[in-house]
Amino acid sequence: MSGRRVAVTGLGVASPIGTSVPTFWASVTAGHSGIGPIVGMSADGFMTTVGAQVQEVGTPPGRGRAAALASIAGAEALGQAGIDAAGRGRVGLVLGTTMGEASWIESWPDADGVLPEVPASRQAELARSGPAAITADVAATLGLGGRTLTLGAACAGGNYAIGRAADWIRAGRAEVVLACGADAFSRTALAGFGRLGALASKSCRPFSADRDGLVLGEGAGVLVLEAEEHAVARGAAVLGFVAGFGLACDAHHIVSPHPDGAGMARAIAAALREAAISTEEVGWFCAHGTATPANDPAEIAAVRAVFGSAPRQVPVSSVKALTGHGLGAASAIEAVCCLLALRDGLVPPTWGLQAGDPACAWDLVTDEPRAGRVEVVLNNSAAFGGNNAAVVFSSVARGAA
């Protein structure tokens, strides 16, 4: 990796299994699921009645839900990093999302499926429904005065945000940047994934032979990324490093991954190459693991393509069995898991995995967390349009500063 080394100095999360990092990690390691009956809206007419929602957080009047979730996670991350209000004037923000603030549009009156003319009193909500509105809201709420960027990178949005924020720091364009992924549960997403036949009936079972789809979730994950020398100068505790980042497109199908995982494999290999890290050093592959029939075997095919010649197989698992699929938030929440796995030397399992799909045969972590040496982790993500993003985290700095 060229340029300055990128340290992680703060973590924050708002998820269906915890709205603080300690609570979230306790749930991940104990197998506490956030999947249950959909609340806050009628599930009549939808393809499923289950979801993974953040029960502890309401939607404040006059704000979008995705921004509220991201602000909670961002405040926690800034607090852990020791960046108070006075120090936020030059802190940047990169936010990845899938749906934007769909709740604003969904709150408009509907007549026989046709949106009526929007009254002047509500026209400002049009601007609030776009993805950039989340970033603007979070920056204002947290008092961030640095550069901002919104990435509509769908289900890989969190990893995209981490990679772009790291680029800014390496290039000297920023000293501290919040990398965030955020999305809120919505009727729009539920209907869309239902029409695709992608929703599970009761539970999320990544890599299982009997899996039947994803469970729609919501939430936000935030990492405080900081130039290593800046963190050291202010005495901040370093939780790990962004060692490498890789992108690739399947150029195959608008919603399905390439069956042989070619795009994912290229992104994974690019991230490892940028990090100058060998496959043998990776202690955990944090899988996208959506539990859809198409994604899981394609992802394992990508793992085989990259790690197949390694002396040992890298352990693989997916936390979506507990959190559901948080769309743009997913890989950011999973990135928080990656840093905690480095901290504790602990690989979370795919909870509930019993009879594995033979097409997904690999070293799949099941039943309980696996303790051991974890100094490098790889966070994988995939999105509509065949857009793949992988991030490598390490416990120690790699390469020249």
Side-chain angles (χ1 to χ4, degrees), residues 7-385:
V8 181
T9 57
L11 303 173
V13 69
S15 82
I17 57 173
T19 53
S20 71
V21 168
T23 303
F24 167 76
W25 188 236
S27 296
V28 169
T29 55
H32 296 157
S33 175
I35 296 171
I38 293 171
V39 299
M41 57 170 274
S42 172
D44 293 345
F46 289 99
M47 306 294 183
T48 186
T49 60
V50 297
Q53 295 167 275
V54 184
Q55 304 278 2
E56 299 95 327
V57 178
T59 304
R63 294 190 69 196
R65 182 168 178 80
L69 294 169
S71 296
I72 289 169
E76 182 183 23
L78 288 165
Q80 183 181 29
I83 301 173
D84 59 18
R88 300 178 188 179
R90 299 183 66 183
V91 173
L93 171 64
V94 184
L95 187 143
T97 186
T98 298
M99 300 301 300
E101 289 288 16
S103 59
W104 284 116
I105 295 178
E106 291 180 357
S107 71
W108 295 348
D110 180 87
D112 297 325
V114 179
L115 287 172
E117 182 177 349
V118 181
S121 62
R122 304 197 69 182
Q123 287 178 4
E125 293 175 10
L126 284 170
R128 295 179 182 176
S129 66
I134 306 175
T135 308
D137 186 314
V138 173
T141 300
L142 299 179
L144 308 180
R147 58 172 57 201
T148 64
L149 178 66
T150 309
L151 299 173
C155 300
N159 269 355
Y160 268 79
I162 293 166
R164 177 50 61 91
D167 282 345
W168 284 358
I169 291 170
R170 288 200 305 263
R173 296 190 176 97
E175 299 293 340
V176 185
V177 184
L178 266 63
C180 176
D183 263 301
F185 199 90
S186 69
R187 292 173 61 241
T188 305
L190 195 65
F193 280 97
R195 288 291 186 181
L196 291 172
L199 295 176
S201 56
K202 294 181 180 179
S203 62
C204 182
R205 302 184 296 276
F207 309 116
S208 296
D210 63 348
R211 70 192 185 280
D212 63 347
L214 63 86
V215 171
L216 183 66
E218 65 176 351
V222 174
L223 276 61
V224 177
L225 304 188
E226 189 168 353
E228 181 188 24
E229 62 268 28
H230 188 270
V232 170
R234 68 181 189 87
V238 173
L239 309 175
F241 294 85
V242 179
F245 174 60
L247 296 175
C249 185
D250 287 348
H252 170 68
H253 191 274
I254 189 61
V255 296
S256 295
H258 197 290
D260 67 7
M264 281 190 270
R266 289 196 300 274
I268 293 163
L272 290 169
R273 186 167 56 249
E274 183 176 81
I277 285 174
S278 67
T279 54
E280 292 89 343
E281 296 177 85
V282 181
W284 178 34
F285 184 95
C286 181
H288 191 57
T290 60
T292 57
N295 177 88
D296 292 4
E299 188 165 20
I300 295 301
V303 171
R304 291 193 187 107
V306 177
F307 292 86
S309 60
R312 63 168 179 80
Q313 294 181 335
V314 61
V316 171
S317 61
S318 170
V319 300
K320 287 186 178 70
L322 305 179
T323 64
H325 192 345
L327 306 182
S331 54
I333 291 172
E334 288 149 12
V336 172
C337 276
C338 290
L339 272 298
L340 296 171
L342 290 176
R343 183 192 71 183
D344 293 350
L346 206 63
V347 174
T350 302
W351 289 99
L353 175 59
Q354 295 176 349
D357 182 351
C360 301
W362 193 256
D363 180 16
L364 301 174
V365 184
T366 63
D367 300 326
E368 61 183 10
R370 182 184 297 180
R373 181 182 177 188
V374 184
E375 296 182 354
V376 175
V377 295
L378 192 146
N379 192 31
N380 189 49
S381 61
F384 283 174

